Amino acid sequence: MSNVLGRGEKIFQVIIHIILIFMAACAIIPVWVLVAGSITNEQELILSGYSFIPGSISWDAYKYLFFKAADIVRSYGITVFITVVGTALSLVITPLLAYPLSRKDFKARNVISFIVFFTMLFNGGIVPSYIMWTQIFHIKNTVWALIFPGLLMNGFNVILMKNYFSQNIPVELIEAAKVDGAGEFLIFGKVILPLSLPIMATVGLFVGIGYWNDWTNGLYYVTQPQLYSLQNLLNRILQDVQFLSSSTLAQAAGGAAMTQMPSVSIRMAISVVGILPIMVLYPFFQKYFVKGIAVGAVKG
Amino acid sequence: MKLKKLAALAGAAALTVTALPVLPVYAEDAEEIVFAFHLTKTVDMQPIEDALNEITIPEIGVKVDLEGIQMANYANQVGMMMSGGEQVDVIAMLGDYADMLSKNQLLCLDDYIDEYGAGIKEVLGEEFLKATSKNGSLYALPNNNGKAAVLNIVLRDDLIQELELPVDQLTLASDFDGYCANLDLLSDMFAKIHEAHPEYACLVPSAGNSLLFDGTVPFMDMLNDNYGILSDDGSTVVNLYETEEYKKLISYAHEWNQAGYVLEDATTTQEAANTYLQNGRAAAFFIKGEEGQAEQIITATGIPVQSIKLLQPYICTTDVNGIDFGISATSKHPEAAMKFLNLMYTNADVVNLLDWGIEGVHYEVQDDGTVDFPEGLDANTTAYGLNQDWYFGNQFLSYIWGKGRDTTIYERLESNNKNSEFSPVMGFSYDSTVVATELAAIVNVRNQYVPGLECGSLDPETDLEAFNKALYDAGLQTVIDEKQAQLDAWKEANQ
Amino acid sequence: MEKRSKSGTLKRQWPLYVMVLPGLLYLFINNYGPMAGMFIAFKRIDYSKGLWASPWVGFENFKYLFKTGAALEMTRNTILYNLVFIVLGEVTGIAAGIMLSELRRKWETKFFQTVILLPYLLSWVICAYIGYAFLSRETGLINGLLNSLGINEVDWYNDPGKWPFILTFVNIWKGLGYSAIVYMSSIIGIDHSLYESAMIDGATKWKQIRYITLPLLKPTVIMLIIMSIGRMFYSDFGLFYQIPMNSGTLYSTTQTIDTYVYRALMTRNDIAMSSAAGFYQSIVGFILVLTANYIVRKSSPENAMF
């Protein structure tokens, strides 16, 4: 790449910077409001609402979370565990399924592609899934309940990968390896995977975020607080607040229970705690995309 | 190398995850049952369960597995457990008795109550059991607590003193006109508050984005769900939203809203009235409550208030069967389940354990007979603190929480339960299965209009008419006709 | 190659069949097994008998989806929103993906990518709180701004006309980071020698994008569009329920099939009726996808899904 930028190139860079800064501002301002809300005095939130700069800073929400530190640390542990294991497993089975589908000479390609695609259109709903996982695989109240149902692999990611393989990996490369006497597994491991870092990083990111943010598995399959993930903890609180505020009966019966609900700033604080690690870790993760560029360059 | 590290990390995490506390070993002949109930916060039930089984195993030979389910997901989860063949024996209900009954989720209790649950019958009495019976058979047990809750106005005490609000002129109205007289008085008070302290919202919604407590018209039986209610003659089903009384109520709401007394975000807020009170935004709100309401609110918010009853009690079926306990239709241990239910209505230790946790750990009995946190614990640090004394079985066996609280309150609640007026069709519950299609559309129409009408932002003249038209378009007449038919049949059989 | 016998291919390709095995197994357990449970949509559930032994009721459970004018309104909203989301979502996603891949400094790529992904990480309920912080009548930031500018306050949650724009904005705001990354991963995979030779030929940046990047992205775009078409009758429940704070006056522009079903079944916990809704949405999606795929197959067969 030449270091001297042309005039057109300069204008282009200025324009994309302006647009990207606008996009970044749109993304960052609301998140800032969230963070500011979590350190605003509860009374100020109710009386004068959210602001960009809190009038009176209060760490009460975080103090409250500190009381619950044991729960939160444990739920972090659960979340990290399921994210790491789930993503790793997913990055094994997803490319293994996607790669043969990208091979034009693979006989069962169309049938299996359809089988994969079909799962994106139809689903049996939560009740049959629940019965399948709890009655046949008995995963209720185990950590596997947070890993296996739903999240491990989905048709979208398989198709995404398949597309990447068929577009970016020259058939000649595979043929050449075959001529050298390499078997299919060797080709997959030594030729395909090294060229697939960008897509592995992309799918890994999506799956990882899926695990990190998931709370439905915890909702349905886990009743022991020892197994609550962070998002599960947060969503239980948020959902109960909503349920109580909309249910006349629950309020009439349990007026006292209403007071147990964590305040707005605590709800904000928990979600800040939930996204913080991703904000911190993502830039490190990002280097795999950059590596992908390097690989592309070598290829050329 | 990296993979190995990862695997080691994962393994270590798995170990910590699966290393749950070792359970005590119980006598093998104890019959094991699962008790599904609503949880309002995330707590570890294991210590409670262990302590509970130390009572139930020697007493009735039953080991109870406490399955606390998040409140917002409860009905869904119980349905899944039952359809999946998972063990559930005792199930709790929070407003879904009629729905569960219509889906045959509840086992008929007739064969078990006399033999294993005699204590329950004694505690609840015939009148209350009617609310959970169908065609003379018993399907669930209402919890035992104060059932005579009526509409209260909660007002900040400092404002009452400062503006000399004439709260003693408010009466326990015994008819709709008397109630309107109360509301007129309140209008004047709101005017005074608004003039002196415009920073307060005189009124905030207290439930389901309604100022007037979910459209409930006093002294009328809403017949389960507000769609088709009992008219004054005690036998005809009519449309609530076409009654003069409803129109009058939402006219008050509209008037207050126009005068600027109402929280501007009333129709969309998801915060509790208590939150607005605590943070100095609300001056007053309506809420349904019984004796001790003011004390509860003061404990919760730290704001001195008065909670003044506006009506004579009038008990309908849904007031009684709001919270119930029953036995799952899929239960293989109905006898054991009934034995446990019997304890929950007759054994104070069981009730206190479920309500407040373990004595000495989660609570301490005080000199005045109430209970409160032990030294060094508070609402933030306690490991239990469910605060669900209004829920489990027989509340009148429970300790009263909060040092210094009035300990005679249960006597008053019990006497109110006995001396209240009952709806003429007490015990009637209706099965909405055949009109489910219509109800689906009706509920959507209701959600569209009711918050606006009952917070006063919609106009009672024009919008009410549009609302009623939309209701009939959605099939309200079919629902009313069906309800009427069921009511007639019920009357035939019961009177 | 075509000459080889079938058994010969199988012998040669058995490792490929082994590779797909774990993934297929998972799909059969996680997706196809539960799909058999769709029969629930045609039952009236009687828990004392169990799911299978409950009585069949034909299409009874579907009726509520087609009842009254609400059906028309919610179907219209669902389809129109999806069309807008597909078009704008693709355009903004491609634009963002290209821009991110054109950044020259590593820290910039890191920074912008991380930041625009942030909204995707927030749960809908929290997004609704943030939305409320901006739009609330009493205390909203926007009304505060309007006030200080001397403009009349807007009662956002009671003004249905504004919500098509708000919801579209929120949807793109939340999904942009995700789709930008999808496209970025495709762009990064593009052979760089193509750009270098184009540059030597004196092609401007715009021309490079127009003649190299976009054509190479075409398969991904078509794939994503076909997949979105399959979800045409679905809507993101969180977006349409939480963000408008369930405000009744907004139904004319915020009610979709999913919110209608949720509200309809909130008080009646009826799994048969909710299965029926899912069944209906899936069937329509399936037909639409087959049609779309058929059209693609006719015009550019190499981009068809199957």
Side-chain angles (χ1 to χ4, degrees), chain A residues 64 68 81 130 135 140 219-220 225 236 245 248 251 259 267, chain B residues 10 13 43 70 72 77 84 86 206 208 213-214 271 300 380:
Chain A
Y64 170 85
K68 307 281 170 206
F81 175 77
Y130 181 85
Q135 297 305 299
K140 194 169 182 183
L219 176 68
Y220 295 127
R236 277 168 193 267
S245 71
T248 321
Q251 265 197 36
T259 63
R267 289 175 240 158
Chain B
V43 290
Q70 189 203 0
Q77 188 82 27
E86 214 170 313
S206 54
F213 223 77
D214 204 25
E271 296 308 322
N380 281 332

PDB file of all heavy atoms in Angstrom, chain A residues 64 68 81 130 135 140 219-220 225 236 245 248 251 259 267, chain B residues 10 13 43 70 72 77 84 86 206 208 213-214 271 300 380:
ATOM      1  N   TYR A  64     -24.838  -1.469  46.882  1.00  0.00           N
ATOM      2  CA  TYR A  64     -25.791  -2.567  46.995  1.00  0.00           C
ATOM      3  C   TYR A  64     -25.241  -3.805  46.292  1.00  0.00           C
ATOM      4  O   TYR A  64     -25.281  -4.905  46.814  1.00  0.00           O
ATOM      5  CB  TYR A  64     -27.134  -2.148  46.384  1.00  0.00           C
ATOM      6  CG  TYR A  64     -28.132  -3.268  46.233  1.00  0.00           C
ATOM      7  CD1 TYR A  64     -28.948  -3.632  47.304  1.00  0.00           C
ATOM      8  CD2 TYR A  64     -28.258  -3.956  45.038  1.00  0.00           C
ATOM      9  CE1 TYR A  64     -29.858  -4.659  47.169  1.00  0.00           C
ATOM     10  CE2 TYR A  64     -29.166  -4.989  44.902  1.00  0.00           C
ATOM     11  CZ  TYR A  64     -29.968  -5.330  45.964  1.00  0.00           C
ATOM     12  OH  TYR A  64     -30.864  -6.361  45.821  1.00  0.00           O
ATOM     13  N   LYS A  68     -23.985  -7.853  47.394  1.00  0.00           N
ATOM     14  CA  LYS A  68     -24.313  -9.085  46.679  1.00  0.00           C
ATOM     15  C   LYS A  68     -23.081  -9.613  45.945  1.00  0.00           C
ATOM     16  O   LYS A  68     -23.206 -10.393  45.016  1.00  0.00           O
ATOM     17  CB  LYS A  68     -25.430  -8.812  45.657  1.00  0.00           C
ATOM     18  CG  LYS A  68     -26.646  -8.149  46.240  1.00  0.00           C
ATOM     19  CD  LYS A  68     -27.538  -9.138  46.969  1.00  0.00           C
ATOM     20  CE  LYS A  68     -28.616  -8.416  47.736  1.00  0.00           C
ATOM     21  NZ  LYS A  68     -29.109  -9.135  48.879  1.00  0.00           N
ATOM     22  N   PHE A  81     -17.667 -19.228  32.215  1.00  0.00           N
ATOM     23  CA  PHE A  81     -17.542 -20.657  31.903  1.00  0.00           C
ATOM     24  C   PHE A  81     -18.392 -21.042  30.694  1.00  0.00           C
ATOM     25  O   PHE A  81     -17.903 -21.640  29.745  1.00  0.00           O
ATOM     26  CB  PHE A  81     -17.943 -21.495  33.123  1.00  0.00           C
ATOM     27  CG  PHE A  81     -17.962 -22.975  32.851  1.00  0.00           C
ATOM     28  CD1 PHE A  81     -16.783 -23.695  32.781  1.00  0.00           C
ATOM     29  CD2 PHE A  81     -19.165 -23.644  32.645  1.00  0.00           C
ATOM     30  CE1 PHE A  81     -16.788 -25.052  32.518  1.00  0.00           C
ATOM     31  CE2 PHE A  81     -19.184 -25.004  32.384  1.00  0.00           C
ATOM     32  CZ  PHE A  81     -17.990 -25.703  32.319  1.00  0.00           C
ATOM     33  N   TYR A 130     -38.222 -27.899  25.900  1.00  0.00           N
ATOM     34  CA  TYR A 130     -38.064 -28.147  27.335  1.00  0.00           C
ATOM     35  C   TYR A 130     -38.201 -29.630  27.637  1.00  0.00           C
ATOM     36  O   TYR A 130     -37.396 -30.210  28.371  1.00  0.00           O
ATOM     37  CB  TYR A 130     -39.123 -27.352  28.094  1.00  0.00           C
ATOM     38  CG  TYR A 130     -39.044 -27.506  29.589  1.00  0.00           C
ATOM     39  CD1 TYR A 130     -38.196 -26.714  30.346  1.00  0.00           C
ATOM     40  CD2 TYR A 130     -39.827 -28.454  30.259  1.00  0.00           C
ATOM     41  CE1 TYR A 130     -38.116 -26.847  31.708  1.00  0.00           C
ATOM     42  CE2 TYR A 130     -39.757 -28.595  31.634  1.00  0.00           C
ATOM     43  CZ  TYR A 130     -38.903 -27.785  32.356  1.00  0.00           C
ATOM     44  OH  TYR A 130     -38.826 -27.928  33.713  1.00  0.00           O
ATOM     45  N   GLN A 135     -36.392 -34.172  29.773  1.00  0.00           N
ATOM     46  CA  GLN A 135     -36.836 -35.549  29.971  1.00  0.00           C
ATOM     47  C   GLN A 135     -35.905 -36.567  29.320  1.00  0.00           C
ATOM     48  O   GLN A 135     -35.763 -37.671  29.804  1.00  0.00           O
ATOM     49  CB  GLN A 135     -38.264 -35.740  29.441  1.00  0.00           C
ATOM     50  CG  GLN A 135     -39.284 -34.914  30.177  1.00  0.00           C
ATOM     51  CD  GLN A 135     -39.245 -35.155  31.675  1.00  0.00           C
ATOM     52  OE1 GLN A 135     -39.467 -36.258  32.144  1.00  0.00           O
ATOM     53  NE2 GLN A 135     -38.933 -34.119  32.447  1.00  0.00           N
ATOM     54  N   LYS A 140     -31.690 -30.390  33.409  1.00  0.00           N
ATOM     55  CA  LYS A 140     -32.211 -29.346  34.287  1.00  0.00           C
ATOM     56  C   LYS A 140     -31.316 -29.187  35.517  1.00  0.00           C
ATOM     57  O   LYS A 140     -30.856 -30.163  36.090  1.00  0.00           O
ATOM     58  CB  LYS A 140     -33.635 -29.685  34.726  1.00  0.00           C
ATOM     59  CG  LYS A 140     -34.311 -28.469  35.337  1.00  0.00           C
ATOM     60  CD  LYS A 140     -35.784 -28.659  35.557  1.00  0.00           C
ATOM     61  CE  LYS A 140     -36.348 -27.368  36.129  1.00  0.00           C
ATOM     62  NZ  LYS A 140     -37.744 -27.453  36.456  1.00  0.00           N
ATOM     63  N   LEU A 219     -33.581 -19.120  32.644  1.00  0.00           N
ATOM     64  CA  LEU A 219     -34.956 -18.937  33.089  1.00  0.00           C
ATOM     65  C   LEU A 219     -35.718 -20.257  33.119  1.00  0.00           C
ATOM     66  O   LEU A 219     -36.412 -20.576  34.070  1.00  0.00           O
ATOM     67  CB  LEU A 219     -35.638 -17.945  32.147  1.00  0.00           C
ATOM     68  CG  LEU A 219     -37.115 -17.661  32.357  1.00  0.00           C
ATOM     69  CD1 LEU A 219     -37.311 -16.922  33.670  1.00  0.00           C
ATOM     70  CD2 LEU A 219     -37.657 -16.817  31.220  1.00  0.00           C
ATOM     71  N   TYR A 220     -35.567 -21.044  32.049  1.00  0.00           N
ATOM     72  CA  TYR A 220     -36.364 -22.255  31.940  1.00  0.00           C
ATOM     73  C   TYR A 220     -35.735 -23.462  32.624  1.00  0.00           C
ATOM     74  O   TYR A 220     -36.426 -24.294  33.184  1.00  0.00           O
ATOM     75  CB  TYR A 220     -36.594 -22.612  30.463  1.00  0.00           C
ATOM     76  CG  TYR A 220     -37.413 -21.595  29.720  1.00  0.00           C
ATOM     77  CD1 TYR A 220     -36.961 -21.032  28.538  1.00  0.00           C
ATOM     78  CD2 TYR A 220     -38.649 -21.197  30.211  1.00  0.00           C
ATOM     79  CE1 TYR A 220     -37.710 -20.092  27.858  1.00  0.00           C
ATOM     80  CE2 TYR A 220     -39.409 -20.257  29.538  1.00  0.00           C
ATOM     81  CZ  TYR A 220     -38.935 -19.713  28.364  1.00  0.00           C
ATOM     82  OH  TYR A 220     -39.689 -18.790  27.701  1.00  0.00           O
ATOM     83  N   PRO A 225     -30.004 -20.949  42.514  1.00  0.00           N
ATOM     84  CA  PRO A 225     -29.272 -19.688  42.358  1.00  0.00           C
ATOM     85  C   PRO A 225     -27.770 -19.896  42.127  1.00  0.00           C
ATOM     86  O   PRO A 225     -27.119 -19.024  41.574  1.00  0.00           O
ATOM     87  CB  PRO A 225     -29.502 -18.972  43.684  1.00  0.00           C
ATOM     88  CG  PRO A 225     -30.635 -19.653  44.335  1.00  0.00           C
ATOM     89  CD  PRO A 225     -30.731 -21.028  43.782  1.00  0.00           C
ATOM     90  N   ARG A 236     -34.071 -11.657  35.754  1.00  0.00           N
ATOM     91  CA  ARG A 236     -35.057 -12.032  36.755  1.00  0.00           C
ATOM     92  C   ARG A 236     -35.550 -10.787  37.476  1.00  0.00           C
ATOM     93  O   ARG A 236     -36.744 -10.613  37.725  1.00  0.00           O
ATOM     94  CB  ARG A 236     -34.450 -13.014  37.754  1.00  0.00           C
ATOM     95  CG  ARG A 236     -34.493 -14.437  37.249  1.00  0.00           C
ATOM     96  CD  ARG A 236     -33.655 -15.372  38.083  1.00  0.00           C
ATOM     97  NE  ARG A 236     -33.499 -16.616  37.362  1.00  0.00           N
ATOM     98  CZ  ARG A 236     -34.313 -17.666  37.513  1.00  0.00           C
ATOM     99  NH1 ARG A 236     -35.289 -17.631  38.370  1.00  0.00           N
ATOM    100  NH2 ARG A 236     -34.140 -18.746  36.806  1.00  0.00           N
ATOM    101  N   SER A 245     -45.467  -4.516  38.340  1.00  0.00           N
ATOM    102  CA  SER A 245     -46.081  -3.228  38.058  1.00  0.00           C
ATOM    103  C   SER A 245     -47.299  -3.401  37.164  1.00  0.00           C
ATOM    104  O   SER A 245     -48.134  -2.524  37.090  1.00  0.00           O
ATOM    105  CB  SER A 245     -45.076  -2.277  37.421  1.00  0.00           C
ATOM    106  OG  SER A 245     -44.787  -2.688  36.112  1.00  0.00           O
ATOM    107  N   THR A 248     -52.283  -6.287  38.891  1.00  0.00           N
ATOM    108  CA  THR A 248     -53.043  -5.709  39.985  1.00  0.00           C
ATOM    109  C   THR A 248     -53.050  -6.629  41.186  1.00  0.00           C
ATOM    110  O   THR A 248     -52.870  -6.217  42.321  1.00  0.00           O
ATOM    111  CB  THR A 248     -54.511  -5.524  39.552  1.00  0.00           C
ATOM    112  OG1 THR A 248     -54.524  -5.103  38.214  1.00  0.00           O
ATOM    113  CG2 THR A 248     -55.202  -4.548  40.438  1.00  0.00           C
ATOM    114  N   GLN A 251     -49.927  -6.927  43.165  1.00  0.00           N
ATOM    115  CA  GLN A 251     -49.690  -5.752  43.984  1.00  0.00           C
ATOM    116  C   GLN A 251     -50.597  -5.678  45.173  1.00  0.00           C
ATOM    117  O   GLN A 251     -50.186  -5.313  46.268  1.00  0.00           O
ATOM    118  CB  GLN A 251     -49.854  -4.492  43.150  1.00  0.00           C
ATOM    119  CG  GLN A 251     -48.535  -4.027  42.619  1.00  0.00           C
ATOM    120  CD  GLN A 251     -48.607  -2.599  42.156  1.00  0.00           C
ATOM    121  OE1 GLN A 251     -49.287  -1.786  42.748  1.00  0.00           O
ATOM    122  NE2 GLN A 251     -47.885  -2.310  41.114  1.00  0.00           N
ATOM    123  N   THR A 259     -41.726  -3.395  47.592  1.00  0.00           N
ATOM    124  CA  THR A 259     -40.631  -2.600  48.119  1.00  0.00           C
ATOM    125  C   THR A 259     -39.299  -3.333  48.024  1.00  0.00           C
ATOM    126  O   THR A 259     -38.254  -2.738  48.156  1.00  0.00           O
ATOM    127  CB  THR A 259     -40.878  -2.276  49.588  1.00  0.00           C
ATOM    128  OG1 THR A 259     -40.906  -3.521  50.286  1.00  0.00           O
ATOM    129  CG2 THR A 259     -42.177  -1.574  49.770  1.00  0.00           C
ATOM    130  N   ARG A 267     -30.793  -1.311  38.873  1.00  0.00           N
ATOM    131  CA  ARG A 267     -31.004  -2.033  37.614  1.00  0.00           C
ATOM    132  C   ARG A 267     -30.001  -1.555  36.567  1.00  0.00           C
ATOM    133  O   ARG A 267     -29.453  -2.339  35.794  1.00  0.00           O
ATOM    134  CB  ARG A 267     -32.433  -1.802  37.125  1.00  0.00           C
ATOM    135  CG  ARG A 267     -33.455  -2.528  37.992  1.00  0.00           C
ATOM    136  CD  ARG A 267     -34.866  -2.169  37.563  1.00  0.00           C
ATOM    137  NE  ARG A 267     -35.602  -1.545  38.645  1.00  0.00           N
ATOM    138  CZ  ARG A 267     -36.670  -0.772  38.479  1.00  0.00           C
ATOM    139  NH1 ARG A 267     -37.130  -0.532  37.282  1.00  0.00           N
ATOM    140  NH2 ARG A 267     -37.289  -0.260  39.517  1.00  0.00           N
TER     141      ARG A 267
ATOM    142  N   ALA B  10     -11.565 -24.537  31.928  1.00  0.00           N
ATOM    143  CA  ALA B  10     -12.956 -24.988  31.871  1.00  0.00           C
ATOM    144  C   ALA B  10     -13.200 -26.058  32.925  1.00  0.00           C
ATOM    145  O   ALA B  10     -14.210 -26.040  33.629  1.00  0.00           O
ATOM    146  CB  ALA B  10     -13.263 -25.540  30.479  1.00  0.00           C
ATOM    147  N   ALA B  13     -13.431 -24.515  36.331  1.00  0.00           N
ATOM    148  CA  ALA B  13     -14.703 -23.808  36.498  1.00  0.00           C
ATOM    149  C   ALA B  13     -15.837 -24.804  36.716  1.00  0.00           C
ATOM    150  O   ALA B  13     -16.706 -24.598  37.558  1.00  0.00           O
ATOM    151  CB  ALA B  13     -14.978 -22.941  35.287  1.00  0.00           C
ATOM    152  N   VAL B  43     -33.255 -16.243  45.922  1.00  0.00           N
ATOM    153  CA  VAL B  43     -32.636 -16.685  47.174  1.00  0.00           C
ATOM    154  C   VAL B  43     -32.308 -18.161  47.061  1.00  0.00           C
ATOM    155  O   VAL B  43     -32.876 -18.886  46.263  1.00  0.00           O
ATOM    156  CB  VAL B  43     -33.569 -16.496  48.390  1.00  0.00           C
ATOM    157  CG1 VAL B  43     -33.750 -15.052  48.726  1.00  0.00           C
ATOM    158  CG2 VAL B  43     -34.891 -17.174  48.178  1.00  0.00           C
ATOM    159  N   GLN B  70     -39.449 -18.113  39.539  1.00  0.00           N
ATOM    160  CA  GLN B  70     -39.558 -16.675  39.341  1.00  0.00           C
ATOM    161  C   GLN B  70     -40.998 -16.301  39.009  1.00  0.00           C
ATOM    162  O   GLN B  70     -41.618 -16.886  38.135  1.00  0.00           O
ATOM    163  CB  GLN B  70     -38.632 -16.287  38.198  1.00  0.00           C
ATOM    164  CG  GLN B  70     -38.495 -14.815  38.027  1.00  0.00           C
ATOM    165  CD  GLN B  70     -38.062 -14.472  36.634  1.00  0.00           C
ATOM    166  OE1 GLN B  70     -37.870 -15.343  35.800  1.00  0.00           O
ATOM    167  NE2 GLN B  70     -37.930 -13.204  36.378  1.00  0.00           N
ATOM    168  N   ALA B  72     -42.584 -13.901  37.445  1.00  0.00           N
ATOM    169  CA  ALA B  72     -43.034 -13.504  36.106  1.00  0.00           C
ATOM    170  C   ALA B  72     -43.158 -14.700  35.163  1.00  0.00           C
ATOM    171  O   ALA B  72     -43.863 -14.639  34.176  1.00  0.00           O
ATOM    172  CB  ALA B  72     -42.080 -12.467  35.522  1.00  0.00           C
ATOM    173  N   GLN B  77     -43.810 -21.870  33.466  1.00  0.00           N
ATOM    174  CA  GLN B  77     -42.891 -22.907  33.929  1.00  0.00           C
ATOM    175  C   GLN B  77     -43.650 -24.112  34.486  1.00  0.00           C
ATOM    176  O   GLN B  77     -43.314 -25.255  34.184  1.00  0.00           O
ATOM    177  CB  GLN B  77     -41.963 -22.323  34.996  1.00  0.00           C
ATOM    178  CG  GLN B  77     -40.840 -23.243  35.427  1.00  0.00           C
ATOM    179  CD  GLN B  77     -39.655 -23.211  34.466  1.00  0.00           C
ATOM    180  OE1 GLN B  77     -39.435 -22.211  33.793  1.00  0.00           O
ATOM    181  NE2 GLN B  77     -38.921 -24.288  34.387  1.00  0.00           N
ATOM    182  N   GLY B  84     -44.247 -31.877  30.610  1.00  0.00           N
ATOM    183  CA  GLY B  84     -43.058 -32.677  30.365  1.00  0.00           C
ATOM    184  C   GLY B  84     -42.951 -33.895  31.262  1.00  0.00           C
ATOM    185  O   GLY B  84     -41.984 -34.637  31.186  1.00  0.00           O
ATOM    186  N   GLU B  86     -42.491 -33.865  34.421  1.00  0.00           N
ATOM    187  CA  GLU B  86     -41.620 -33.616  35.563  1.00  0.00           C
ATOM    188  C   GLU B  86     -42.461 -33.655  36.840  1.00  0.00           C
ATOM    189  O   GLU B  86     -43.633 -33.311  36.815  1.00  0.00           O
ATOM    190  CB  GLU B  86     -41.021 -32.213  35.382  1.00  0.00           C
ATOM    191  CG  GLU B  86     -39.620 -32.063  35.887  1.00  0.00           C
ATOM    192  CD  GLU B  86     -39.056 -30.718  35.445  1.00  0.00           C
ATOM    193  OE1 GLU B  86     -39.189 -30.375  34.263  1.00  0.00           O
ATOM    194  OE2 GLU B  86     -38.495 -30.030  36.301  1.00  0.00           O
ATOM    195  N   SER B 206     -51.130   3.206  40.827  1.00  0.00           N
ATOM    196  CA  SER B 206     -50.601   2.241  41.778  1.00  0.00           C
ATOM    197  C   SER B 206     -50.545   0.832  41.220  1.00  0.00           C
ATOM    198  O   SER B 206     -49.845  -0.003  41.729  1.00  0.00           O
ATOM    199  CB  SER B 206     -51.420   2.256  43.055  1.00  0.00           C
ATOM    200  OG  SER B 206     -52.765   2.053  42.749  1.00  0.00           O
ATOM    201  N   GLY B 208     -50.911  -1.450  37.342  1.00  0.00           N
ATOM    202  CA  GLY B 208     -51.311  -1.595  35.946  1.00  0.00           C
ATOM    203  C   GLY B 208     -51.652  -0.276  35.282  1.00  0.00           C
ATOM    204  O   GLY B 208     -52.580  -0.212  34.491  1.00  0.00           O
ATOM    205  N   PHE B 213     -57.280   1.842  40.569  1.00  0.00           N
ATOM    206  CA  PHE B 213     -57.129   0.440  40.825  1.00  0.00           C
ATOM    207  C   PHE B 213     -57.864  -0.442  39.851  1.00  0.00           C
ATOM    208  O   PHE B 213     -58.829  -1.117  40.158  1.00  0.00           O
ATOM    209  CB  PHE B 213     -57.461   0.079  42.270  1.00  0.00           C
ATOM    210  CG  PHE B 213     -56.440  -0.872  42.767  1.00  0.00           C
ATOM    211  CD1 PHE B 213     -55.192  -0.414  43.136  1.00  0.00           C
ATOM    212  CD2 PHE B 213     -56.669  -2.231  42.774  1.00  0.00           C
ATOM    213  CE1 PHE B 213     -54.209  -1.283  43.511  1.00  0.00           C
ATOM    214  CE2 PHE B 213     -55.683  -3.109  43.147  1.00  0.00           C
ATOM    215  CZ  PHE B 213     -54.452  -2.629  43.523  1.00  0.00           C
ATOM    216  N   ASP B 214     -57.384  -0.441  38.637  1.00  0.00           N
ATOM    217  CA  ASP B 214     -57.777  -1.386  37.617  1.00  0.00           C
ATOM    218  C   ASP B 214     -59.276  -1.413  37.361  1.00  0.00           C
ATOM    219  O   ASP B 214     -59.875  -2.463  37.208  1.00  0.00           O
ATOM    220  CB  ASP B 214     -57.291  -2.788  37.989  1.00  0.00           C
ATOM    221  CG  ASP B 214     -57.145  -3.653  36.747  1.00  0.00           C
ATOM    222  OD1 ASP B 214     -56.954  -3.083  35.669  1.00  0.00           O
ATOM    223  OD2 ASP B 214     -57.240  -4.879  36.871  1.00  0.00           O
ATOM    224  N   GLU B 271     -42.702   2.216  37.329  1.00  0.00           N
ATOM    225  CA  GLU B 271     -42.241   2.303  38.718  1.00  0.00           C
ATOM    226  C   GLU B 271     -43.428   2.174  39.650  1.00  0.00           C
ATOM    227  O   GLU B 271     -44.549   2.546  39.322  1.00  0.00           O
ATOM    228  CB  GLU B 271     -41.532   3.637  38.949  1.00  0.00           C
ATOM    229  CG  GLU B 271     -40.271   3.809  38.128  1.00  0.00           C
ATOM    230  CD  GLU B 271     -39.307   2.641  38.270  1.00  0.00           C
ATOM    231  OE1 GLU B 271     -39.182   2.111  39.391  1.00  0.00           O
ATOM    232  OE2 GLU B 271     -38.697   2.246  37.272  1.00  0.00           O
ATOM    233  N   ALA B 300     -41.580   0.616  54.382  1.00  0.00           N
ATOM    234  CA  ALA B 300     -40.940   0.452  53.089  1.00  0.00           C
ATOM    235  C   ALA B 300     -40.303   1.732  52.574  1.00  0.00           C
ATOM    236  O   ALA B 300     -39.248   1.706  51.950  1.00  0.00           O
ATOM    237  CB  ALA B 300     -41.953  -0.058  52.066  1.00  0.00           C
ATOM    238  N   ASN B 380     -30.621  -5.571  52.857  1.00  0.00           N
ATOM    239  CA  ASN B 380     -29.641  -5.789  51.798  1.00  0.00           C
ATOM    240  C   ASN B 380     -28.766  -7.007  52.037  1.00  0.00           C
ATOM    241  O   ASN B 380     -28.304  -7.632  51.094  1.00  0.00           O
ATOM    242  CB  ASN B 380     -28.727  -4.565  51.661  1.00  0.00           C
ATOM    243  CG  ASN B 380     -29.411  -3.462  50.899  1.00  0.00           C
ATOM    244  OD1 ASN B 380     -30.271  -3.718  50.077  1.00  0.00           O
ATOM    245  ND2 ASN B 380     -29.033  -2.234  51.200  1.00  0.00           N
TER     246      ASN B 380
END
